[in-house]
Amino acid sequence: VCMLCRRAEADPVICGDKVEKHGLCAHVFCLCFASLLFRQGDERVGLMGFRPRDIQIAVLRAAQKRCCVCGETGATIMCCQEDCDRWFHLPCAKEGGCVTQYITPYRYLFSPSGQSCGRTQHLS
């Protein structure tokens, strides 16, 4: 089961492949889109460049956040619009009509209407 979206099976087009190392398991895009989780310069560090401790902190923080689509806790992606307090699981963002786009080193979240949420988040 992915530590971030809490799904054993998810669409690999949406969540990416599942990776496991050091007792951690996550989908590639769940790692890349998780708010306040940043990849280190060396991809050999931790899980694809994400430090194990940082991933665990993201999971603990997500336990306090409810997904605005499914209503369950564990949401790791914060809406990028200023003054918006909505959180999502990556698979739920798609189900809720959001459009996500990941082009290294940026991640984008678009509202259901297709309008940009207002800003992008740099991943480095």
Side-chain angles (χ1 to χ4, degrees), residues 66-114:
R66 286 201 179 275
C67 176
C68 69
V69 176
C70 73
E72 297 292 322
T73 59
T76 58
I77 304 169
M78 179 176 53
C79 180
C80 63
Q81 178 145 357
E82 212 166 307
D83 299 323
C84 182
D85 61 355
R86 293 180 298 166
W87 287 78
F88 304 87
H89 298 105
L90 183 55
C92 294
K94 173 69 173 173
E95 293 165 15
C98 296
V99 176
T100 56
Q101 190 174 34
Y102 177 70
I103 304 170
T104 307
Y106 298 96
R107 56 186 163 201
Y108 302 90
L109 178 67
F110 295 93
S111 69
S113 66

